[in-house]
């Protein structure tokens, strides 16, 4: 049985559940808001496999030691709880589940705190790009208006401005209207990056399998151009594919959504980020379910004790994750 | 002759331990600044296409020479703007303190903004085990001297002992140990203290037994942390580790600890 932890209101989670049902695989679902409202969680910390989740709905309860693998997209839902008591329970359950999923000796796709640098974009980029062997756009994270102004002037093809962290912000092309806003940096830094003009690429990597699409958009941030983007499957260059495989091995997260830009003039690839909780359903539909099949294959494959996916060796930061 | 330098102490405004460290450094002629907003410090992280990077930290134009990192506290409110501002501040400091070329006590790392010290994972170090403990389900003392300690899981707050500490609508962590046997060991820079011992120094046997755990903590970037331990016949039970020790936990050796922290930073160098 596969244990699925997430939110019924998360379209990506629902998409994954549909794939499990269509494949006729046994699974149990824990909807985290339902767990906070009506369910219960007990964790013997010296025997994590005896962890019991009472789901709070008709599914009853799940013992971790009885599941084959865990598929999770956890979010801390405490901020949206209807009452303070429920918020406290949701927060406590989220923290506890993330600790357990990091430490338990089971295949987990993905341990929620393992790729921690996603919360700090520039650290994330300079840490992971060398693993893949990739370039990144020249970047400047600063609260100094003069430094920002000088960086903008050093980017002849334009500068993109975005938030420094995991909270969703739109990548925006720096224009003359932003000059007046630069003094505000003194109170809140921002991340500036040289503009790379060309298509975006999203690669979904499941262990050693990868599925790539190029995204041609009229907008700087393709996520803002609803209905106007052109998506096309893409054969990955071997070096990029090998880099993606190294990245999942290095981060010990079996499923990543890796973002690139391709310079239209030079053809050079630039690494942007790797999302450990990607919203992949649209890409999966266009790929005729190939990403889902790879995820299900991973969840049902034997993972020997001591494989990089289980029996973790290191620690992760405590934070709230957001899907991207 | 020590050379006065500028130190950055990253800590929330109500961190009394951080303020005392600043005063200690000032008494020795150094400038230790505890900024409470980005307008009090200049932070720049730049990177090239080859992922090479450089970090510049300045206070009033003066380059920072060392950092004591104690986090940025909780968001200033529960509204969306406050949460966003907090997430952005965390991202900036995380990048800066992980990549900065200078010395940082409790350096941010790829694994966490503050050193992530979950006993669940640290108990894999040889000679270290977890005590009987549970989340969500109360434990009951197996021996007369044992007490059930109750913590709140969502923030680790200690609520008390035994059944009177239990509160509804919280995920509680129950830990079983004998309070009379508990030992507190403090890692500060290159030094190890045991504040309750005479002179504040642990025995060589204790230091030797804990060496693998202390090495593991240092490898995680933790060089200022408090360990709560219970010795057993076969080794040690790790009850708790905090990367944010507070002064009352090491008052008997306060100045020795602060000096050990200064020694990790250029301010401690002759």
């Amino acid at each position: 049985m596969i244990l699925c932890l997430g939110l019924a209101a998360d379209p990506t989670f629902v998409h994954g559940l549909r794939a499990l049902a269509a494949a006729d695989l046994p699974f149990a679902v824990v909807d985290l808001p339902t767990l906070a409202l009506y369910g219960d969680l007990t964790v013997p910390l010296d025997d994590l496999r005896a962890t019991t989740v009472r789901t709070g709905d008709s599914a009853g309860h799940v013992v971790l030691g009885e599941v084959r693998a865990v598929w999770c997209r956890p979010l801390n839902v405490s901020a949206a709880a209807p009452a303070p008591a429920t918020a406290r329970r949701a927060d406590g359950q989220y923290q506890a589940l993330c600790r357990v999923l990091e430490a338990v000796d089971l295949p987990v796709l993905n341990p929620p705190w393992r790729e921690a640098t996603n919360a700090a974009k520039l650290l994330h980029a300079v840490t992971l790009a060398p693993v893949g062997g990739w370039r990144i756009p020249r970047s400047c994270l600063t609260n100094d208006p003069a430094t920002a102004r000088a960086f903008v002037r050093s980017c002849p093809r334009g500068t993109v401005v975005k938030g420094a962290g995991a909270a969703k912000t739109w990548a925006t092309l720096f224009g003359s209207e932003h000059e007046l806003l630069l003094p505000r940096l003194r109170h809140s830094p921002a991340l500036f990056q040289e503009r790379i003009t060309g298509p975006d690429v999203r690669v979904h990597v499941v262990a050693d399998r990868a599925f790539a699409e190029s995204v041609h958009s009229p907008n700087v941030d393709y996520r803002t151009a609803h209905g106007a983007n052109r998506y096309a499957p893409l054969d990955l260059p071997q070096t990029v594919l090998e880099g993606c495989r190294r990245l999942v091995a290095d981060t010990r997260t079996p499923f990543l959504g890796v973002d690139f830009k391709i310079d239209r003039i030079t053809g050079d690839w630039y690494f942007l980020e790797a999302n450990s909780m990607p919203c992949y359903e649209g890409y999966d539909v266009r790929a005729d379910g190939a990403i889902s099949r790879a995820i299900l294959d991973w969840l049902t494959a034997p993972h020997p004790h001591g494989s990089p996916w289980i029996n973790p060796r290191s620690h992760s930061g405590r934070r709230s994750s957001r899907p991207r | 002759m020590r050379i006065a330098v500028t130190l950055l102490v990253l800590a929330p405004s109500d961190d009394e331990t951080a303020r005392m460290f600043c005063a200690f450094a000032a008494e020795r002629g150094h400038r230790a600044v505890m900024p409470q907003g980005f307008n009090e410090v200049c932070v720049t992280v730049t990177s090239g296409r080859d992922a090479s990077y450089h970090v510049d930290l300045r206070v009033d134009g003066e380059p920072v020479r060392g950092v004591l990192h104690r986090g940025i506290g909780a968001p200033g409110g529960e509204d969306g703007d406050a949460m966003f501002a907090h997430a952005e501040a965390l991202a900036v400091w995380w990048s800066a303190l992980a990549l900065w070329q200078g010395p940082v006590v409790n350096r941010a790392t790829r694994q966490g903004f503050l050193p992530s010290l979950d006993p669940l994972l640290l108990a894999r170090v040889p000679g270290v085990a977890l005590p009987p403990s549970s989340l969500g389900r109360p434990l009951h003392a197996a021996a007369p001297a044992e007490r059930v300690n109750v913590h709140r899981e969502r923030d680790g707050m200690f609520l008390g002992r035994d059944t009177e500490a239990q509160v509804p609508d919280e995920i509680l962590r129950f830990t079983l140990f004998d309070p009379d046997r508990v030992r507190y060991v403090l890692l500060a820079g290159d030094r190890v203290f045991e504040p309750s011992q005479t002179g504040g120094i642990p025995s060589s046997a204790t230091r030797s037994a804990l060496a693998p755990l202390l090495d593991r903590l240092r490898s995680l970037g933790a060089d200022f942390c408090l360990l709560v331990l219970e010795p057993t016949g076969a080794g040690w039970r790790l009850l708790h580790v905090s990367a944010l020790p507070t002064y009352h936990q090491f008052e008997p050796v306060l100045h020795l600890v602060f000096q050990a922290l200064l020694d990790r930073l250029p301010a401690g160098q002759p």
Side-chain angles (χ1 to χ4, degrees):
Chain A
M1 180 176 66
I2 294 161
L3 173 61
C4 306
L5 288 159
L7 277 70
D10 171 9
T12 311
F13 188 59
V14 173
H15 179 83
L17 297 180
R18 287 199 181 110
L20 279 160
D24 206 19
L25 290 168
F27 63 95
V29 181
V30 176
D31 172 48
L32 294 177
T34 304
L35 179 68
L37 284 166
Y38 310 114
D40 195 7
L41 176 69
T42 57
V43 184
L45 289 167
D46 44 0
D47 181 12
L48 293 180
R49 283 176 164 265
T51 295
T52 303
V53 186
R54 288 176 180 78
T55 59
D57 55 23
S58 59
H61 73 278
V62 181
V63 179
L64 217 47
E66 295 171 2
V67 309
R68 177 177 198 157
V70 180
W71 177 54
C72 66
R73 291 179 57 84
L75 283 172
N76 190 337
V77 295
S78 59
T86 315
R88 291 193 293 270
R89 286 170 59 80
D91 197 8
Q93 288 170 346
Y94 173 80
Q95 305 294 343
L97 282 169
C98 288
R99 285 184 73 195
V100 169
L101 294 173
E102 180 60 37
V104 71
D105 189 12
L106 277 175
V108 179
L109 185 148
N110 286 325
W113 285 342
R114 191 163 295 178
E115 209 327 271
T117 60
N118 241 320
K121 280 199 182 89
L122 190 47
L123 171 64
H124 179 79
V126 302
T127 304
L128 298 190
V131 175
W134 302 312
R135 296 177 185 83
I136 59 173
R138 280 197 311 113
S139 303
C140 177
L141 171 63
T142 189
N143 68 337
D144 179 31
T147 301
R149 192 173 291 112
F151 181 82
V152 168
R153 287 176 180 158
S154 75
C155 301
R157 292 160 67 186
T159 307
V160 168
V161 191
K162 56 175 78 165
K168 185 173 258 185
T169 56
W170 304 125
T172 304
L173 189 61
F174 188 90
S176 56
E177 71 275 22
H178 297 116
E179 284 275 350
L180 293 173
L181 303 178
L182 285 178
R184 296 187 187 180
L185 286 175
R186 290 199 179 91
H187 298 277
S188 182
L191 177 60
F192 297 80
Q193 291 185 320
E194 65 171 325
R195 184 186 189 189
I196 306 298
T197 310
D200 287 85
V201 175
R202 163 58 71 93
V203 185
H204 288 100
V205 194
V206 187
D208 61 350
R209 295 157 75 179
F211 310 91
E213 264 195 349
S214 60
V215 187
H216 297 261
S217 177
N219 291 4
V220 170
D221 189 326
Y222 74 86
R223 297 169 300 175
T224 63
H226 300 291
N229 296 328
R230 183 164 53 84
Y231 296 88
L234 185 71
D235 287 330
L236 280 179
Q238 189 65 25
T239 54
V240 177
L241 174 60
E242 288 168 1
C244 288
R245 289 171 175 162
R246 283 197 300 275
L247 203 58
V248 294
D250 181 80
T251 58
R252 296 182 301 118
T253 50
F255 180 37
L256 289 173
V258 189
D259 292 330
F260 296 94
K261 290 285 287 186
I262 302 177
D263 188 310
R264 182 174 290 135
I265 298 169
T266 64
D268 291 336
W269 287 57
Y270 289 83
F271 169 72
L272 298 180
E273 63 178 302
N275 304 320
S276 55
M277 203 159 74
C279 299
Y280 64 92
E281 65 272 24
Y283 301 90
D284 191 43
V285 168
R286 289 188 293 275
D288 197 24
I291 301 169
S292 285
R293 284 193 295 279
I295 291 173
L296 300 190
D297 286 349
W298 190 91
L299 290 169
T300 54
H303 296 282
H305 184 85
S307 81
W309 315 113
I310 56 179
N311 195 20
R313 301 181 302 268
S314 68
H315 298 197
S316 294
R318 177 174 287 206
R319 65 188 178 88
S320 299
S321 300
R322 282 179 184 275
R324 273 148 293 161
Chain B
M1 176 68 181
R2 295 180 191 281
I3 301 166
V5 295
T6 299
L7 303 174
L8 180 73
V9 178
L10 185 65
S13 60
D14 60 354
D15 188 334
E16 194 59 32
T17 305
R19 290 200 181 280
M20 292 169 75
F21 176 77
C22 289
F24 180 85
E27 286 167 10
R28 279 141 191 83
H30 304 295
R31 185 181 184 207
V33 179
M34 201 167 129
Q36 292 306 306
F38 282 107
N39 57 326
E40 298 175 34
V41 61
C42 189
V43 186
T44 297
V45 186
T46 52
S47 74
R49 290 180 178 175
D50 61 355
S52 60
Y53 52 82
H54 178 78
V55 180
D56 189 51
L57 296 177
R58 288 176 187 271
V59 174
D60 294 335
E62 288 294 316
V64 172
R65 300 298 186 191
V67 177
L68 172 63
H69 174 27
R70 291 179 59 84
I72 59 170
E78 293 186 349
D79 60 292
D81 286 349
M83 301 293 275
F84 177 76
H86 183 264
E88 287 291 288
L90 183 139
V92 172
W93 283 118
W94 193 344
S95 290
L97 297 188
L99 300 174
W100 189 50
Q101 53 275 23
V104 181
V105 170
N106 279 352
R107 181 179 286 281
T109 68
R110 182 176 169 182
Q111 283 75 37
F113 177 50
L114 276 163
S116 181
L117 308 175
D118 190 339
L120 272 179
L121 301 175
L122 290 169
R124 292 179 177 147
V125 173
V128 178
L130 290 173
S133 49
S134 172
L135 295 177
R137 177 181 296 163
L139 293 172
H140 301 286
E146 282 185 338
R147 302 290 298 275
V148 178
N149 292 266
V150 185
H151 291 78
R152 216 160 56 186
E153 176 64 4
R154 63 187 169 92
D155 58 6
M157 177 176 279
F158 175 66
L159 298 178
R161 296 205 167 96
D162 303 321
T163 51
E164 66 268 23
Q166 294 184 34
V167 293
D169 298 318
E170 292 281 3
I171 304 302
L172 301 177
R173 183 167 74 239
F174 302 92
T175 311
L176 204 57
F177 59 86
D178 177 354
D180 290 337
R181 290 163 52 84
V182 167
R183 306 262 293 270
Y184 297 86
V185 173
L186 186 80
L187 176 61
D190 295 331
R191 299 196 61 186
V192 182
F193 298 93
E194 189 168 358
S196 63
Q197 297 293 304
T198 305
I201 306 299
S203 69
S204 58
T206 298
R207 291 167 63 95
S208 175
L210 292 177
L213 178 58
L214 298 174
D215 287 347
R216 178 69 182 136
L217 290 168
R218 290 190 179 102
S219 77
L220 294 166
D223 46 11
F224 183 34
C225 57
L226 183 79
L227 292 77
V228 186
L229 300 141
E230 182 184 33
T232 66
W236 296 81
R237 284 176 173 163
L238 182 59
L239 307 179
H240 182 62
V241 190
S242 169
L244 296 172
T246 53
Y247 71 92
H248 64 270
Q249 293 169 322
F250 54 89
E251 244 169 344
V253 287
L254 186 78
H255 284 197
L256 292 174
V257 169
F258 282 169
Q259 187 58 52
L261 298 178
L262 270 184
D263 287 343
R264 278 280 293 127
L265 305 172
Q269 303 303 311

